[in-house]
């Protein structure tokens, strides 16, 4: 059985059409103390609301906020106070982020996060080097916004997303969510807190247990965390979630192999919604789908955001998708954030050379662009 932890408002948006540092005893490097290159690349972002401009930091290019399309705007208060007793069941329509904290309070703060993987070499497999998959990343996400994390394949985007949920153990740094440092939480406390922070994985074919029906897959997180009331109430909520993501009640007893890729991704989204999370990480959640199905899933995610006030960290290498989905963008290269700012500003006026290269790589598919490309080859 797959671990359930793995199944983890923006202004009106038009629908998308088809057009703790390492100790010396641990054997890990101490980059902030002995590596001048790593020291120069570290950055510290001062937590602030999306409306405020980010000040310059070493290794980071910031883009000032404006009121253009893609800016975060005013976001609704979203972070609910976690109850000590089992949560009272809520209807899907009540929303998930109806809390008392204001929009200026970050929902998630990441401070100097590092994830290093050892490279074992030599006869005795000694740890000679480390791959710095995530190297000193700092940022904040505010309630109700969608932050896009973009960069080329292999730059550390997925590792960062998994480290936030402790699916990959961080080497150093802090992950502040709901008043706790998740990097320091013991296993049982982490398991309980994961109900507030879910993830939609890239491959909908691998993300679902083929031995469970769709209804059981969505039901299982509620059973494990003891939320949703009685068994009948939980089942009623599963059926409600199926309808919410555009599926039918009769799909409850079907198995994952009976669905298309887009339908499976909808099921994964329904499973992530089952625990009424405050934040969802979407890790390349549409990259395995064809263009028309991508549009349907992206529209669904935006509809859920407007209805429930969900906060997203949207990981993608497709800058066109990131522009459609994101209020703010983080541009990642070789494990570090090199540029950050409102999505519209970054697209209109990129400051970092790497960002300009990414934007230049977006295919131009207008008729004029196609004719010009054909003429250039003649």
């Amino acid at each position: 059985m797959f671990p359930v932890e793995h199944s983890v408002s923006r202004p009106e948006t038009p629908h998308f059409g088809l057009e703790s540092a390492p100790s010396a005893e641990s054997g890990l490097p101490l980059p902030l103390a002995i590596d001048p290159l790593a020291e120069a690349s570290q950055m510290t972002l001062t937590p602030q609301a999306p409306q405020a401009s980010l000040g310059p930091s070493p290794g980071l290019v910031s883009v000032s906020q404006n009121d253009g399309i893609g800016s975060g705007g005013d976001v609704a208060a979203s972070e609910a106070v976690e109850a000590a007793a089992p949560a009272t069941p809520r209807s899907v329509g009540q929303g998930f982020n109806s809390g008392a904290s204001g929009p200026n309070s970050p929902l998630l703060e990441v401070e100097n996060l590092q994830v290093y993987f050892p490279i074992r070499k030599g006869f005795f497999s000694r740890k000679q080097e480390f791959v710095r998959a995530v190297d000193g990343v700092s940022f904040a996400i505010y309630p109700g916004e969608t932050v896009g994390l973009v960069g080329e394949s292999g730059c550390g985007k997925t590792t960062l997303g998994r480290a936030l949920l402790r699916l990959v153990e961080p080497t150093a740094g802090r992950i502040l969510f709901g008043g706790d440092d998740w990097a320091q939480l013991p296993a049982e406390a982490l398991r309980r807190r994961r109900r507030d922070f879910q993830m939609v994985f890239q491959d909908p074919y691998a993300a679902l247990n083929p031995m469970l029906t769709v209804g059981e897959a969505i039901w299982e997180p509620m059973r494990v965390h003891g939320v949703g009331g009685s068994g009948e109430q939980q089942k009623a909520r599963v059926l409600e979630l199926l309808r919410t993501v555009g599926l039918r009640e009769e799909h409850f007893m079907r198995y994952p192999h009976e669905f298309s890729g887009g339908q499976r991704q909808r099921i994964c989204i329904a499973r992530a919604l089952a625990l009424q999370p405050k934040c969802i990480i979407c890790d390349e959640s549409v990259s395995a789908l064809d263009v028309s199905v991508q549009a349907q899933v992206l529209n669904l995610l935006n509809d859920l955001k407007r209805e429930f006030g969900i906060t997203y960290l949207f990981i993608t290498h497709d800058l066109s998708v990131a522009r459609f989905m994101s209020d703010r963008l983080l541009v990642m290269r070789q494990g570090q954030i090199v540029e950050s700012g409102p999505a519209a500003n970054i697209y209109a006026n990129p400051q970092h050379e790497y960002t300009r290269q990414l934007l230049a790589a977006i295919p131009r598919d207008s008729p004029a662009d196609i004719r010009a490309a054909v003429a250039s080859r003649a």
Side-chain angles (χ1 to χ4, degrees):
M1 186 174 296
F2 285 57
V4 297
E5 291 83 5
H6 287 206
S7 62
V8 209
S9 261
R10 165 196 188 101
E12 288 296 327
T13 307
H15 271 48
F16 190 69
L18 298 183
E19 311 244 67
S20 94
S23 63
E25 293 78 7
S26 67
L28 296 177
L30 303 175
L32 296 180
I34 64 174
D35 189 340
L37 294 178
E39 183 177 7
S41 66
Q42 303 306 315
M43 64 204 75
T44 301
L45 299 182
T46 303
Q48 52 200 329
Q51 293 80 8
S53 66
L54 296 172
S57 301
L60 175 68
V61 175
S62 300
V63 181
S64 60
Q65 172 77 44
N66 71 4
D67 294 328
I69 298 173
S71 62
D74 293 333
V75 291
S78 81
E79 188 173 7
V81 178
E82 181 182 15
T88 303
R90 289 175 287 177
S91 167
V92 172
Q94 286 181 275
F96 304 158
N97 280 337
S98 54
S101 64
N104 291 334
S105 301
L107 179 63
L108 170 69
E109 290 184 82
V110 179
E111 299 179 0
N112 194 34
L113 187 64
Q114 301 171 5
V115 181
Y116 294 171
F117 296 105
I119 301 175
R120 300 181 181 272
K121 293 182 177 181
F123 184 78
F124 295 103
S125 297
R126 293 182 177 179
K127 300 176 182 178
Q128 300 288 340
E129 299 176 1
F130 289 85
V131 174
R132 300 184 179 188
V134 179
D135 194 9
V137 168
S138 300
F139 62 91
I141 300 178
Y142 294 83
E145 73 171 345
T146 298
V147 174
L149 180 61
V150 300
E152 62 190 343
S153 297
C155 70
K157 305 185 301 296
T158 294
T159 301
L160 173 57
R162 290 174 176 265
L164 296 180
L165 283 167
R166 294 269 303 276
L167 302 178
V168 172
E169 287 297 326
T171 303
R174 304 177 71 200
I175 306 167
L176 304 177
F177 185 88
D180 296 321
D181 183 358
W182 281 38
Q184 303 298 325
L185 285 179
E188 181 58 28
L190 177 64
R191 187 186 69 83
R192 292 195 304 268
R193 293 306 310 277
R194 276 182 177 156
R195 63 164 292 188
D196 293 329
F197 202 176
Q198 292 288 295
M199 189 167 189
V200 178
F201 293 91
Q202 176 175 358
D203 186 0
Y205 297 89
L208 294 171
N209 188 337
M211 302 300 293
L212 296 180
T213 66
V214 165
E216 290 171 335
I218 301 174
W219 196 338
E220 186 181 25
M222 291 187 280
R223 289 172 174 163
V224 170
H225 287 270
V227 300
S230 65
E232 286 300 318
Q233 290 174 317
Q234 290 176 342
K235 183 175 181 180
R237 175 165 171 73
V238 172
L239 296 175
E240 186 179 4
L241 285 167
L242 286 173
R243 293 191 297 269
T244 298
V245 299
L247 299 175
R248 299 191 299 273
E249 293 185 5
E250 54 262 35
H251 291 152
F252 184 96
M253 294 303 298
R254 296 187 184 178
Y255 287 88
H257 72 271
E258 302 179 63
F259 295 89
S260 67
Q263 289 174 319
R264 293 190 199 194
Q265 200 63 285
R266 290 172 181 266
I267 295 166
C268 293
I269 294 171
R271 181 177 61 182
L273 293 173
L275 296 176
Q276 303 172 344
K278 299 174 184 176
C279 184
I280 296 178
I281 298 175
C282 298
D283 179 19
E284 300 275 11
S285 53
V286 296
S287 64
L289 309 176
D290 63 56
V291 176
S292 61
V293 179
Q294 280 187 16
Q296 297 170 13
V297 173
L298 293 174
N299 288 330
L300 172 63
L301 291 172
N302 271 333
D303 291 342
L304 294 173
K305 176 180 176 177
R306 285 191 290 268
E307 185 174 356
F308 304 135
I310 299 174
T311 302
Y312 291 122
L313 175 61
F314 195 85
I315 300 173
T316 183
H317 63 269
D318 189 333
L319 272 74
S320 299
V321 171
R323 183 176 187 177
F324 172 73
M325 287 293 297
S326 304
D327 303 314
R328 288 193 296 123
L329 280 181
L330 305 174
V331 182
M332 193 169 188
R333 182 189 188 192
Q334 296 180 353
Q336 299 179 339
I337 303 297
V338 297
E339 186 165 359
S340 171
N345 291 12
I346 287 182
Y347 276 88
N349 186 28
Q351 300 297 306
H352 197 278
E353 178 60 28
Y354 179 68
T355 308
R356 290 192 285 268
Q357 293 174 1
L358 288 178
L359 293 174
I362 298 177
R364 311 297 180 184
D365 54 1
S366 69
D369 290 330
I370 294 174
R371 285 193 295 269
V374 171
S376 66
R377 299 190 188 103

